[in-house]
Amino acid sequence: MIVILKQGITPQEKDKVRSFLSEKGFIVKEIVGQQDTVLGAVGKVSIDPRTVELMPGVSSVVPISKPYKLASREMKKEDTIVQVGKVKIGGNRVCVIAGPCAVESYDQVMTIAESVREAGAVMLRGGAFKPRTSPYAFQGLGEEGLKILRKAGDAFDMPITSEVVSPGDVGMMAEYVDMFQIGARNMQNFELLKEVGKTGMPVLLKRGLAATIEEWLMAAEYLMASGTDQVVLCERGIRTFEKATRNTLDCSAIPVVQKLTHLPVIGDPSHATGIRDMVAPMSLAIIASGASGVIVEVHNCPEKAFSDGPQSLYPSQFKKLVHDIQALCPVVGKSLEKIPRVLPESMKSKEEESVAPSNGVVVAFQGVRGAFSELAARRSFDEDAVMLACHSFADAFDAVSSGKAKYAVMPVENTLGGTVYDNLDLLAMHPELTVVGEQQVRVMHNLIVVPGAKMEDIKKVYSHPQGLQQCRAFLDKEMPDVERVPFFDTAGAVEYIARMNDKSIAAIAGAPAAHYYGMEILRQGIETDASNYTRFYILAREENAALFRSQSKPDKAAISFSVSDEPGALMDVLRTIADKGVNMTKLESRPIPGKPWEYLFFVELQLPEDLKVFEALSEEIQKKAVSFRVLGIYTSVIR
Ligand code: PEP
Ligand code: MN
């Protein structure tokens, strides 16, 4: 059952409820949610819920209707984020785990680890104990294999996961792995589940070959009841009558499971299909289905692989796949998880001052709560980041400048509306700020109403002029007689209809705004052009920039410069960029305030592999230009 606590419950009252339940024989877990704090009580015993309901500090008691309790959404509404070393799985992240089917040799694992890490994998997989169909097939290198995997994980700064097949190996394996893997064949090996659960460590739980979703979740329940709350589910294909693929990938299980449980779910396209060419499309299908990641088999020489060669990707195929997954991320409202690069010694002390983006850091954005900018900011930082809503773009810049916020996430370009000039101008006025990152959000508009309102109730629709414009085809067709009222902000329009509580007015805005203000989405995705993306810069003061940049390898630079008023001056600078072989991805010009008919040029560049090339280029531009500034170097969202 779930014991919902009153907001003002005292620690003593909470202790009393806890001990009462424990004494009755329940396992008690406290779950702090965004709205409520609850105590989940599970066990073989049963008591009259009213005895708990009457205790001081208790708001209500709700029974859990599902046979799995700790794993159920009823118990915990928010997504669980599983932490494996530095990597987080779940929430708005997409994690790519990769590696060979089996650990074969030191050289093999090191080679594969290097290539998958470089391509964007955040975790390394590799079997040391292989549960093979035939007793004559390669069974794995055992502990020796784990040692190799550990070395590769450490060398390339990736947490590792490997399959455990026997309860007796759990203690030994815990010394090596960061996350246990329970294989499909062992999903209902309850003694194994109990032993692994006891370690409290993260577990990747594959779905059994013929397991129903409920059986799968009951297996997760075994792990959780034994002591771990760090469970990641993995759909890896089930047995059906179909023989064209090794198994049948059950993509629909992904959204189903996400409704039933708070645990993250990922997919394994390699074992699901058994065929190399199908791994990439099915990986995309898995991500499109809403999964939190994929686990993919990659081999440097699949023809010679000891196991599962035909389904293992070549490193080059894997690299392309990660690019494609990254391109898909904004469509499903997620970001590709990256791991911080190894910090140079000189930066380590800064990390200890906990300026890491994960430590309740304050992030400024423009707009009211629920704005697309907030979504971009949330996607760029961990769940515990504190969002600071600023009235104007200038206020958001000032917030970072004054130290009130450590970062700001500012829109710079929309695929339909073009450049957001105000923010380039503000960046020019704030030399103390620098671009440390980039984020991208798909702008998906919805018709949002007061709960219970129907299409026929609506007389007026409020939104930012861009929102109204981008949904014109829908409005013309479905609501031709409804008055369109321009508003300063899309999320602001939702806040307004919520405040008015009037069924005759609707708003057009993103889904987060509807959720934030408790409003209802009447129609989803009503924008005319679905390829509607906004790109944001993440800004920081120089002293806070290094750590954010250390999260991943920068591959883009933004610069600004002005040139003298003479023939060929701009051309001269652009030629320098071309001569250095550097690719320019964007060019804008803006008038310089106080200097009529003079312009500041903004350029985005692909950062050369060798940073010295960029430094030399900067020096040369500096010589040729009247003014020059590196606005920032950062990692692009689309590589
Ligand atoms: C594996 O991941 O190596 C494996 C054997 O997978 P499954 O248990 O899903 O068959
Ligand atoms: Mn395999």
Side-chain angles (χ1 to χ4, degrees):
M1 66 187 154
I2 302 164
V3 182
I4 302 167
L5 304 176
K6 286 189 180 146
Q7 300 228 315
I9 188 171
T10 65
Q12 293 80 359
E13 285 169 343
K14 202 196 288 177
D15 279 349
K16 271 209 176 125
V17 182
R18 281 193 86 116
S19 4
F20 175 78
L21 292 166
S22 306
E23 278 161 23
K24 292 280 177 209
F26 287 102
I27 306 171
V28 185
K29 297 227 166 169
E30 181 170 341
I31 299 160
V32 184
Q34 265 163 10
Q35 259 123 43
D36 298 315
T37 298
V38 307
L39 293 179
V42 298
K44 295 183 191 115
V45 280
S46 80
I47 54 166
D48 184 345
R50 280 172 302 180
T51 52
V52 186
E53 214 152 30
L54 288 172
M55 293 182 82
V58 173
S59 164
S60 57
V61 176
V62 187
I64 302 174
S65 62
K66 300 284 189 301
Y68 42 89
K69 311 283 178 195
L70 297 168
S72 80
R73 263 285 174 211
E74 291 170 58
M75 173 74 97
K76 182 167 177 254
K77 294 203 171 38
E78 281 94 16
D79 290 345
T80 286
I81 312 290
V82 172
Q83 176 109 34
V84 190
K86 283 187 254 182
V87 172
K88 289 183 172 164
I89 307 178
N92 56 15
R93 304 168 183 76
V94 166
C95 289
V96 179
I97 306 172
C101 175
V103 174
E104 298 168 10
S105 71
Y106 178 80
D107 288 347
Q108 171 241 16
V109 176
M110 290 303 258
T111 309
I112 297 170
E114 183 173 16
S115 66
V116 298
R117 173 76 166 89
E118 178 63 29
V122 289
M123 206 185 294
L124 182 65
R125 63 147 289 149
F129 296 93
K130 297 304 300 175
R132 306 300 297 279
T133 308
S134 159
Y136 308 115
F138 174 62
Q139 304 287 312
L141 295 183
E143 188 168 355
E144 204 43 49
L146 293 173
K147 284 187 183 157
I148 295 174
L149 200 64
R150 182 72 268 163
K151 276 193 190 141
D154 290 345
F156 296 102
D157 196 28
M158 279 185 283
I160 62 168
T161 181
S162 196
E163 180 169 352
V164 57
V165 293
S166 150
D169 288 340
V170 171
M172 177 275 290
M173 281 190 72
E175 300 292 318
Y176 298 102
V177 301
D178 299 295
M179 175 161 76
F180 283 102
Q181 181 177 321
I182 305 273
R185 288 154 198 82
N186 273 313
M187 189 205 82
Q188 281 185 319
N189 181 340
F190 299 117
E191 291 313 309
L192 181 63
L193 295 173
K194 283 194 243 173
E195 212 50 41
V196 170
K198 268 191 231 160
T199 64
M201 285 171 63
V203 188
L204 182 67
L205 177 65
K206 295 275 195 100
R207 181 178 180 182
L209 294 159
T212 63
I213 288 172
E214 189 165 295
E215 285 163 343
W216 186 18
L217 292 175
M218 287 308 286
E221 189 73 11
Y222 259 95
L223 288 167
M224 297 181 86
S226 313
T228 183
D229 49 8
Q230 300 282 294
V231 180
V232 178
L233 300 163
C234 179
E235 161 59 42
R236 45 80 70 208
I238 48 173
R239 275 284 160 83
T240 65
F241 51 80
E242 183 52 66
K243 289 203 193 120
T245 48
R246 183 172 171 182
N247 291 291
T248 298
L249 177 64
D250 184 8
C251 263
S252 59
I254 294 165
V256 170
V257 162
Q258 283 185 326
K259 265 218 153 75
L260 299 174
T261 179
H262 51 85
L263 299 171
V265 54
I266 67 168
D268 174 346
S270 309
H271 294 91
T273 61
I275 304 164
R276 181 176 307 124
D277 288 353
M278 295 181 185
V279 170
M282 288 306 101
S283 297
L284 298 178
I286 287 165
I287 301 304
S289 305
S292 295
V294 284
I295 178 165
V296 182
E297 286 185 344
V298 179
H299 202 286
N300 53 331
C301 188
E303 302 76 21
K304 297 209 176 121
F306 292 1
S307 61
D308 288 349
Q311 69 194 35
S312 299
L313 293 186
Y314 289 97
S316 58
Q317 289 177 309
F318 177 69
K319 194 170 171 193
K320 157 124 190 349
L321 173 61
V322 178
H323 276 213
D324 291 349
I325 290 176
Q326 187 162 26
L328 184 57
C329 280
V331 177
V332 289
K334 298 206 172 115
S335 297
L336 192 65
E337 172 77 342
K338 293 179 177 152
I339 23 176
R341 287 187 298 156
V342 184
L343 292 180
E345 277 306 315
S346 60
M347 279 168 55
K348 288 225 164 117
S349 60
K350 278 200 180 163
E351 187 186 37
E352 272 138 34
E353 282 166 30
S354 72
V355 287
S358 55
N359 281 333
V361 62
V362 178
V363 184
F365 69 94
Q366 186 275 329
V368 298
R369 302 304 302 265
F372 286 112
S373 289
E374 184 182 359
L375 188 62
R378 289 207 175 277
R379 216 171 275 171
S380 311
F381 295 88
D382 279 345
E383 285 75 8
D384 57 1
V386 179
M387 295 293 145
L388 178 68
C390 297
H391 184 70
S392 65
F393 288 149
D395 289 350
F397 271 82
D398 287 344
V400 194
S401 196
S402 66
K404 208 163 132 196
K406 207 153 252 172
Y407 301 96
V409 179
M410 308 304 297
V412 286
E413 190 172 8
N414 174 266
T415 46
L416 302 178
T419 301
V420 183
Y421 294 117
D422 288 352
N423 283 327
L424 291 191
D425 294 348
L426 280 162
L427 192 52
M429 283 158 57
H430 282 275
E432 75 287 6
L433 301 187
T434 177
V435 183
V436 294
E438 195 182 47
Q439 183 55 269
Q440 189 185 227
V441 161
R442 180 175 171 207
V443 178
M444 218 198 312
H445 288 303
N446 305 280
L447 184 68
I448 298 167
V449 292
V450 171
K454 308 229 158 33
M455 279 305 258
E456 53 273 22
D457 298 328
I458 303 167
K459 302 275 175 294
K460 284 185 188 178
V461 57
Y462 289 75
S463 190
H464 188 277
Q466 285 273 349
L468 294 170
Q469 168 66 23
Q470 289 170 9
C471 300
R472 215 178 59 191
F474 169 83
L475 293 172
D476 286 350
K477 187 159 176 266
E478 309 267 336
M479 324 176 75
D481 302 323
V482 169
E483 187 188 339
R484 300 169 199 184
V485 189
F487 212 73
F488 72 96
D489 186 57
T490 53
V494 182
E495 193 253 0
Y496 177 73
I497 66 157
R499 196 152 28 90
M500 292 295 124
N501 194 22
D502 176 352
K503 286 188 180 166
S504 75
I505 56 176
I508 291 177
H515 299 145
Y516 191 80
Y517 297 106
M519 295 292 100
E520 220 167 78
I521 294 178
L522 204 56
R523 293 281 190 282
Q524 248 180 333
I526 57 168
E527 65 280 0
T528 314
D529 187 338
S531 309
N532 188 355
Y533 295 90
T534 299
R535 194 161 66 89
F536 297 77
Y537 275 165
I538 301 165
L539 304 174
R541 289 182 65 91
E542 195 56 62
E543 65 266 29
N544 296 325
L547 199 78
F548 192 96
R549 284 197 185 117
S550 72
Q551 305 291 305
S552 50
K553 190 168 173 244
D555 59 358
K556 245 179 127 179
I559 58 170
S560 67
F561 58 87
S562 60
V563 291
S564 54
D565 185 13
E566 58 192 72
L570 172 63
M571 170 82 172
D572 201 18
V573 173
L574 298 185
R575 163 95 19 235
T576 312
I577 297 173
D579 287 348
K580 283 267 182 283
V582 173
N583 188 28
M584 189 168 81
T585 54
K586 186 176 167 71
L587 171 65
E588 281 288 350
S589 67
R590 293 293 297 152
I592 302 176
K595 295 188 178 172
W597 318 121
E598 284 188 33
Y599 299 92
L600 189 64
F601 296 97
F602 287 86
V603 168
E604 285 181 3
L605 305 164
Q606 270 174 357
L607 200 61
E609 266 301 308
D610 183 359
L611 263 184
K612 288 204 177 70
V613 176
F614 178 69
E615 279 158 19
L617 172 64
S618 299
E619 254 173 55
E620 274 194 46
I621 301 178
Q622 204 149 12
K623 279 188 214 140
K624 293 181 172 163
V626 173
S627 71
F628 172 75
R629 180 179 153 203
V630 177
L631 297 169
I633 60 169
Y634 54 94
T635 311
S636 61
V637 277
I638 318 157
R639 283 181 289 171

